[in-house]
Each structure stands twice: as C-alpha cells, then as structure tokens.
Amino acid sequence: MRLTKTMRWTALAACTALAISACTTGSDDKKSSEGANGAGKKGGSISIESGEPQHGLIPQNTAESEGAQVLAQLFSGLVEYDRKTNEPKLRVAESIESPDSKVWTIKLKDGYTFHNGEKVTAQSFVDAWNWGANQDNAAEGLPFFSKIEGAEELSPGKDKKPATDKLKGLKVVDDKTFTVTLSAPFSQFKVMLGYTAFYPLPKAFFAGDRKTFEENPIGNGPFQMDGKWEHNKQIKVKRYENFPAADGKAKLDSVTFKIYDKLETAYNDLRANNIQITNKLPVSAMATVAQEFGDRYIYKPESGVGFIGFPIATNPAAYGKPEIRKAISMSIDREAITKTIFSGTRIPADDFINPIIPGYRKGAMGDAAKYDPAKAKELFTTAGGVPNNTIELGYNADGGHKEWIEAVGNQLKKNLGVEVTFKPFEKFGKILDALGEKQYSGAFRMAWQMDYPSAENYLRPIFSKVAIENGSNYGGYVNEEFESALSAADQAKSLEEGLKLYQKADDILIKDLPYIPVYTYMTSAAYTKTVKNVVVDAQNRIDLANVELA
C-alpha cells in the first residue's frame, strides 16, 4: 500500500498554535468559561492570519495546516477531540462501536446537512472514503484508508490500475448507518476519525467539476464559503444558518482568512487590529508579545515536533550512516536554541513522540539528544565525515525558520569542523515538492503535528517503508525491524498493549535517527481586544465557531 504526498507535514512557523487545554497556562479554558458567562456581541465579522493552502480545498486531499484550518470550519467529522483529555468525542456520529477492533459500526446523528441543503448520510461518508482511497485521484489522504479491507485493490501501486472503485470493507446499512471492516484489528481506528480525510462529501462533488469544488467547497460545518477562494489574498466564510444549534452554530457572521507571506506583516496587522487573531507569531515578537497582549497571549504545550531530516536514500554518501546522524544530533545545543532563538517558546526534544501524547518517555533518546561536542566530533571523524566536508541545510523561508537553522549550522561548523551552506525555499510547499520529487539532497528542516492523538501517528506516516513512494518518508528510511514492530502494535488487543509496542518501534528510530528531533512546540498565539472566547486546539485549529466580538 503506497502513501501519498506530505500527509500531515505542517508549515509550523516560528510559533505555531496547537493547543491542549489540559496544559494551559490560564489562557484557554478560563477564557472560554468567561466568554460563555459574559454577553458577547452578536454576529459581526473578523479576519485572521493564514498562509496559502498548498492544494485545493478537498478534505481528502488537504494534508497541511493552512488548508486544514479552513476545512475545519467548513466541515464536521464523525468525531472531534476533547481539549482537556485529547480523547475522541462524538460529533456527527451518534455511536462508533466494535466488538473486536476489526469490524466497526458507525451510526449518524440526525440534523446535519451540507451547505446546499443535501442531507448528510452514511453514503456521504462511504463515497468520500472510496474517492480518497482510489490512487487514480492522487489524494494526499489516501494512506489513512489503507487499513480498510480492500484498500490494496484501490491502490495497487505505481504502474498498476485499481481493480475497483469501492472499498470492500465499507457497507451502507441505511441512511444513518454504515459498517467498516478493517484488514486486521486496529485499536486506534476510532481515534483516527476526526482527521480531515474522513470528512463526508456531497453528491455535488461527484457530479460536478473537481476544480470548481476545490475553489468553492460545499461542506457540512458551522461555516460555508462566501465566494470563491482568492488565491494568495483571502478566503471568506460565513455562518451556515442550518447547522445544528446543539452542536455549535457559529456566533460570528463571517470570517476572512487573510493570506500572508511574512509573519512579521501579519503581526503588525494584528497590533493595528487589521486582523483579530493569529496562531503564528514571528521570532521577532517573542520577547515582547506577552507584555503587549497580556492574557490575550496564549502560551502552552502543543503537539508539534521540529526535526532536522536526512535524505538517506538520495544522499547515502553523506547521511547513510547512523553514526553520522548521531554525531550531528549531539552537536546541536537544543537548550541554547530554544532559550536564545525562541525565547523559551520551544522545549528541547528527547523523543520522537511529543510529550502531550500517551507513549512519550522523558529522556528516551538518551545520549543522542545530549549536547556533547567532543564525543560528537570523535564519532563524526571515526565514521568518516561527509563528502567535501560540507553540510547543506534546507528550510522554508516563509515560516520564521532562518534564525534557528542558521544557529544549528553555526553549531555544526564549530563542533564538527564542517562547512555549512543554507538553502532557503520560498514557501513550505516548495520544499515539500522538491523533497517529494527527490530534487533536493541536502539535510532539511521539517516539522510534524499530529493528525490524531496517537503515538502511532508520530511513527508510521513519517518513517514507514510504505511512506516512501509518494509519502511523508522524505528521507527514504527503511528498517524491517521497525516495520514488524509497527505491525505488532497495530494488532494489539488493547490500547495499553499497543502503546508498549509502539514504544518499541520508537526505540528503533532512536537507534537509527533517520531524523533528529530538535524541539517540541509551544503554542504561541495572540488576539486583539475586539474578540473573546479564542481557543486553539490540538490540531492547530482555531475554534472559530465559538469566537465572539468582545
């Protein structure tokens, strides 16, 4: 089963906002409860910071954070994630049950309709998933359907044609019920179902033109499109009046996603109240934002991990040896970078799994994450170094990464005695494209935020063998022991047993270091005095349906 491009690599900028309310510093749930008790102004319109989505706005083909933020307002999924516990809770689904973690029965609530008036039914989900799983459609969400029975027939691989257009494991029982049969038990399946790829699609999508839908999608969420997407300028949405009130009808009349190339420009617009919310702040704001915005500055742990990645397959002469990768890791002073460059808005990483996710182990990386220039140089020299004694570091220039990447480069130059060059890519999508098409063979900056709250989501989408062809394994890492550990964990009889097995797979990554975890993210978001009830969730999405004018 192949994986499609990028999956959930994100344009995590200088301080991307993903929030877990249980970890709040008093900036999230407290505000939400105060907002609920206070009378906000009815209706109104706001603007928020956004980047340009990488692809068209089809849920099954949107794997990056900018597009997902918009789609989270336009669509509602089967489940959403509790901001305190991070556990899935029912949204469009009335129930999701399985006796064996292999055959699942999903029942839907009444009351949900698409923005064109069409009723959301079991068929709406089944049709959407069949489309997303079909490799002819080249949807980025294709890998998420790989566990459903019959997925190999829809995605047989390169130079092969699908044998069918329907997943064998999907069956519609009635308008409100469908069943999902997996190829093997997977205890995490319900947890996955809040992800973008599992949103429903209306009949109009299949009857019409894909390009038209990409520009002006028809969803089932609290907001609907308000005109077509104006590329590199803005995306406007307005309240959907027929959204079920009990499930959170939007309070604002409309929201404009204002698209920026530079975070500094967006921050200046926030300070001038030209936009009202941003969940990404430039490095230059870190020293003063808390003082300037007070309790309107949201700061707390979130689910992102920042990496230095290695093109193991395309440049094995430089990065093929684990010893070289470990030496580079031990040459990086994570503490200095997180404190000096990011003013404490990052935490030094010591595991591939983020600390807010069950399965994280403090200090799991051991010596590999400890700053030890002498041992690093010895290991690097013994392993033979790199060709031409030069390391190139690539990064996207639209996300506030120049400062920390250059800091890493200076540390490598000093501690390993290498020359370091830098390769800035104009936009995040550009570096993803270059890596996916194997046109770039230098080390590279990358980051990952969770699709759903599971340790598995930090392992398979990034480092599994099936993720290489068109997927998120940009380094081309392959380890059969790792593959076996993942398979065993998938089929565990309980979440607890599965977690221990995923940790075994994590240990293999720690030994091999296909990427180097450098830091984990802290939410850093801010909003103006003109709005209230601002909350960002664990998937880097602002809960715009509950935002009100102050």
Side-chain angles (χ1 to χ4, degrees), residues 205-494:
F205 170 77
F206 304 98
D209 174 66
R210 172 173 172 171
K211 184 65 177 177
T212 299
F213 193 94
E214 287 179 337
E215 301 289 310
N216 196 354
I218 301 167
N220 66 318
F223 289 94
Q224 65 183 96
M225 290 291 287
D226 187 11
K228 291 183 179 181
W229 170 8
E230 300 177 58
H231 287 277
N232 297 301
K233 181 180 179 182
Q234 65 184 18
I235 299 171
K236 297 185 70 174
V237 300
K238 61 184 179 181
R239 181 174 57 241
Y240 178 48
E241 299 296 348
N242 291 327
F243 190 78
D247 286 340
K249 183 176 291 189
K251 296 176 174 60
L252 293 167
D253 291 330
S254 65
V255 177
T256 298
F257 295 84
K258 190 173 180 182
I259 296 170
Y260 291 88
D261 285 332
K262 297 183 181 299
L263 294 180
E264 287 80 5
T265 305
Y267 186 58
N268 287 334
D269 273 359
L270 181 77
R271 298 170 77 189
N273 199 35
N274 293 326
I275 61 172
Q276 284 66 54
I277 309 172
T278 181
N279 59 5
K280 295 185 287 291
L281 295 169
V283 172
S284 59
M286 291 300 96
T288 59
V289 62
Q291 181 178 357
E292 182 168 355
F293 283 84
D295 65 0
R296 292 176 287 106
Y297 171 52
I298 301 173
Y299 176 72
K300 54 195 170 182
E302 48 103 316
S303 70
V305 180
F307 298 101
I308 296 293
F310 299 106
I312 296 170
T314 58
N315 195 355
Y319 304 112
K321 297 178 181 178
E323 296 83 2
I324 293 293
R325 304 192 293 268
K326 184 175 181 179
I328 292 173
S329 180
M330 295 172 70
S331 299
I332 298 173
D333 189 344
R334 292 164 172 79
E335 194 75 27
I337 288 172
T338 55
K339 287 184 177 179
T340 304
I341 303 298
F342 292 113
S343 300
T345 59
R346 297 287 190 279
I347 304 296
D350 56 3
D351 194 359
F352 281 84
I353 300 169
N354 184 281
I356 68 170
I357 302 299
Y360 162 79
R361 296 163 294 167
K362 184 175 178 61
M365 288 178 62
D367 291 344
K370 293 178 181 177
Y371 180 54
D372 193 332
K375 287 186 178 180
K377 181 62 183 294
E378 179 183 356
L379 186 61
F380 189 75
T381 302
T382 302
V386 294
N388 302 316
N389 201 38
T390 299
I391 292 174
E392 183 173 82
L393 296 175
Y395 65 96
N396 55 299
D398 63 341
H401 301 291
K402 181 176 185 289
E403 293 86 351
W404 81 268
I405 287 293
E406 290 187 351
V408 167
N410 289 334
Q411 290 175 357
L412 298 184
K413 184 176 182 179
K414 175 183 176 182
N415 297 326
L416 297 180
V418 296
E419 292 299 316
V420 179
T421 60
F422 303 97
K423 173 67 174 177
F425 289 78
E426 180 186 5
K427 294 180 181 295
F428 185 61
K430 297 293 185 182
I431 191 170
L432 291 182
D433 290 342
L435 289 167
E437 295 165 10
K438 298 177 176 58
Q439 295 177 348
Y440 181 67
S441 58
F444 49 89
R445 169 265 162 190
M446 196 56 68
W448 182 263
Q449 70 179 36
M450 70 178 188
D451 303 309
Y452 45 90
S454 168
E456 179 265 348
N457 191 237
Y458 286 80
L459 307 176
R460 174 174 285 105
I462 320 172
F463 302 110
S464 67
K465 182 170 58 176
V466 293
I468 293 174
E469 186 178 322
N470 288 310
S472 298
N473 186 349
Y474 290 113
Y477 170 73
V478 176
N479 184 316
E480 294 299 337
E481 184 184 2
F482 176 71
E483 300 294 325
S484 296
L486 282 180
S487 180
D490 286 349
Q491 299 182 53
K493 295 180 180 179
S494 69

Side-chain angles (χ1 to χ4, degrees), residues 147-202:
K147 297 183 183 303
I148 300 175
E149 189 176 50
E152 294 84 1
E153 296 177 25
L154 266 74
S155 184
K158 188 177 180 181
D159 300 326
K160 297 179 181 180
K161 294 293 293 182
T164 178
D165 61 357
K166 293 179 175 59
L167 288 162
K168 186 185 302 180
L170 297 182
K171 303 292 183 185
V172 173
V173 177
D174 55 44
D175 272 0
K176 292 178 59 179
T177 311
F178 67 104
T179 61
V180 185
T181 301
L182 306 182
S183 55
F186 183 50
S187 60
Q188 308 286 309
F189 184 66
K190 181 178 177 179
V191 181
M192 295 176 68
L193 295 179
Y195 182 55
T196 308
F198 294 101
Y199 290 165
L201 287 172

Side-chain angles (χ1 to χ4, degrees), residues 115-136:
H115 301 149
N116 61 358
E118 177 189 330
K119 185 178 180 180
V120 176
T121 67
Q123 195 71 52
S124 308
F125 286 94
V126 168
D127 287 346
W129 297 8
N130 281 330
W131 186 90
N134 191 324
Q135 73 177 32
D136 282 351

